[in-house]
Amino acid sequence: MALVSSVWHVISAILIFLVGALLVVWVGRHFRTGTGRGLTLYVWHTLFCLVYAWYTLNYGGDAISYYRAARSGAPEFHVGTYGVIYLTHLLIKYLGLSLLGAFLVYNIFGSLGLLAFDASLRAVTHGKRLLYRRLATLIVFLPSVSFWTSGIGKDSLSFLATGLTLWAALDLQRRTPLVGIAVAILLLVRPHMAGMLVMGLSLALLLHPKTSLARRVLLGSVAVAVAASLVPFGLEYAGVKGTDTEALMEYVEGRQEHNMKGGGAVDISSMSLPMQLFTYLFRPLPFEAFSIFAMAAALDNMILLYLFVMGGRAMLRRPAGRRYRENRIFLWSYALVAWPMLAMTTANLGIALRQKWMFTPMLILLFLSALGTVRQQVRPASPPPSPVMQIYQRYGIRPGQRHEP
């Protein structure tokens, strides 16, 4: 299999890249992102898309399996893996895209998610010290963010949903429809995460202090009803047979022994919950890295660990500020449900490196918002009025006004 095998494949790949650039510029205006920064993020993300395509073509991966399954025939529509295969099949059937062209389409999804992620971090660090603004930019440009979200698969779409959710959380009252779009995207690729997201939204709507009682009851009831239908569906999709405690524990124990093959496998069954949480989010560490890709992931993890330590320290030293305080419960509830659930059921660091970007941006925004304080802009003192103006002010005369004797 080759990345391109005809002239149309080359032309279509170029057209998709250009359409993505126009889309990034247009969407960037809604995210208050300048054209230059938006295109920089898009080019950066596309470079990792090309690396990811080359890597999977030479060493294999899920992306190649998805493309081959999509090219072999018309699959039935279903959620999860089959949803990605179905979408890729439509791209091949109606646009005649090659492997590279399909990669570039999914790259657009991930780039838009990165654009929303960047806009959200810039919003919470606006007016703060240059150190925190540069830290936010550094996190956006982490290789692990762009690499796993730039290829054919569920990660690019789920990261788009995460970015939209993050941007909506900054003004939840006006941007709630964006959460609905994010839920729809997650429902296509990871229904169990969609259920967790709706659960977080339900808590946020019920406890939001600026929501009237009537609207709180209406929106909260709708959100709870949707969550009640999505959570069992998501659990069934994940393989949980039943919703009782015994079924859940059986599922967790089974997942802890799943994907134990390969260099990224870790034995989490003997770990405590805090160690499972740490392993999922911050490993591999530099001394555990034995390849270039693992070392890049380890350096990214060290930056995240630094942010979490400093941000957690800032939260303990002073209470949360008024800025975005009303919407923190939405981010906390989703992240603190998703993190333990994934940490207890993922026994492979390679999978964790991809999947953690479904909720880690929420924690990053929360910790960044706790760091530093917004500087108040002090206006320069106005100069004293001239002697002539002092006379005008003393007798109540405006400049240019004719004084009649």
Side-chain angles (χ1 to χ4, degrees):
M1 181 181 296
L3 288 176
V4 292
S5 57
S6 67
V7 176
W8 169 246
H9 288 168
V10 176
I11 295 175
S12 60
I14 295 175
L15 290 176
I16 291 171
F17 174 77
L18 295 177
V19 169
L22 294 175
L23 191 60
V24 163
V25 172
W26 179 72
V27 174
R29 295 176 182 174
H30 297 275
F31 292 143
R32 302 162 193 167
T33 303
T35 301
R37 187 177 181 91
L39 291 177
T40 300
L41 290 171
Y42 180 59
V43 172
W44 171 262
H45 201 267
T46 304
L47 290 176
F48 283 95
C49 172
L50 299 177
V51 173
Y52 193 11
W54 170 85
Y55 180 84
T56 54
L57 188 62
N58 287 274
Y59 299 99
D62 293 339
I64 296 294
S65 302
Y66 294 152
Y67 185 81
R68 286 175 176 169
R71 194 177 61 173
S72 63
E76 294 184 2
F77 176 77
H78 199 55
V79 296
T81 299
Y82 294 102
V84 175
I85 295 175
Y86 186 83
L87 176 59
T88 308
H89 174 75
L90 295 180
L91 296 176
I92 298 173
K93 180 178 179 181
Y94 294 103
L95 298 180
L97 297 186
S98 63
L99 178 64
L100 178 61
F103 259 88
L104 289 173
V105 171
Y106 283 88
N107 173 64
I108 295 176
F109 299 145
S111 297
L112 295 178
L114 186 65
L115 206 65
F117 184 33
D118 175 66
S120 303
L121 296 191
R122 284 189 295 107
V124 298
T125 57
H126 178 71
K128 294 186 177 182
R129 291 174 54 190
L130 181 61
L131 172 64
Y132 302 125
R133 286 182 277 131
R134 286 182 173 176
L135 179 59
T137 300
L138 177 62
I139 291 172
V140 170
F141 281 94
L142 288 179
S144 60
V145 178
S146 295
F147 183 81
W148 299 111
T149 61
S150 62
I152 302 174
K154 294 176 279 188
D155 300 299
S156 58
L157 288 166
S158 60
F159 185 65
L160 171 59
T162 301
L164 294 178
T165 301
L166 207 60
W167 178 251
L170 300 181
D171 191 357
L172 195 56
Q173 291 291 300
R174 294 194 303 170
R175 299 173 185 169
T176 303
L178 282 180
V179 182
I181 297 176
V183 170
I185 296 174
L186 283 177
L187 191 59
L188 174 65
V189 292
R190 289 194 169 103
H192 56 298
M193 301 304 297
M196 296 180 192
L197 187 61
V198 174
M199 288 173 61
L201 180 62
S202 303
L203 288 174
L205 293 176
L206 289 173
L207 301 178
H208 200 291
K210 293 184 179 180
T211 304
S212 63
L213 180 60
R215 189 180 182 188
R216 186 178 302 180
V217 172
L218 176 62
L219 295 178
S221 301
V222 172
V224 170
V226 174
S229 60
L230 282 182
V231 170
F233 176 72
L235 292 175
E236 181 181 355
Y237 162 79
V240 182
K241 300 178 180 179
T243 57
D244 56 342
T245 305
E246 183 178 354
L248 291 175
M249 292 303 299
E250 182 180 352
Y251 170 76
V252 170
E253 292 174 357
R255 291 294 301 180
Q256 288 179 349
E257 300 176 357
H258 189 63
N259 290 324
M260 285 293 293
K261 298 180 180 181
V266 290
D267 183 13
I268 61 173
S269 59
S270 59
M271 295 181 184
S272 62
L273 179 59
M275 190 60 190
Q276 289 175 348
L277 296 175
F278 181 88
T279 297
Y280 187 87
L281 206 56
F282 301 115
R283 291 178 64 187
L285 297 172
F287 62 86
E288 298 176 306
F290 298 101
S291 67
I292 296 178
F293 291 99
M295 180 56 69
L299 294 177
D300 291 354
N301 289 336
M302 292 303 296
I303 295 174
L304 292 179
L305 184 58
Y306 168 79
L307 172 63
F308 279 48
V309 170
M310 298 303 295
R313 179 185 176 188
M315 288 182 178
L316 294 175
R317 293 180 63 180
R318 66 174 183 272
R322 188 177 298 274
R323 199 181 191 197
Y324 309 121
R325 183 173 58 188
E326 295 83 357
N327 301 324
R328 291 174 187 270
I329 188 171
F330 173 44
L331 300 178
W332 278 119
S333 57
Y334 171 66
L336 294 182
V337 169
W339 187 7
M341 181 60 66
L342 293 174
M344 290 188 297
T345 57
T346 306
N348 190 287
L349 296 182
I351 297 176
L353 286 173
R354 303 200 313 259
Q355 293 184 353
K356 71 181 182 182
W357 292 108
M358 292 186 293
F359 68 89
T360 304
M362 282 68 178
L363 297 174
I364 291 174
L365 184 139
L366 289 166
F367 286 123
L368 266 179
S369 63
L371 289 174
T373 55
V374 179
R375 294 183 176 181
Q376 300 293 333
Q377 296 182 354
V378 181
R379 296 183 179 180
S382 54
S386 62
V388 176
M389 288 298 300
Q390 292 180 12
I391 296 175
Y392 283 159
Q393 293 174 1
R394 182 176 181 180
Y395 293 99
I397 302 174
R398 294 193 302 271
Q401 180 183 4
R402 294 183 60 185
H403 179 68
E404 299 294 340

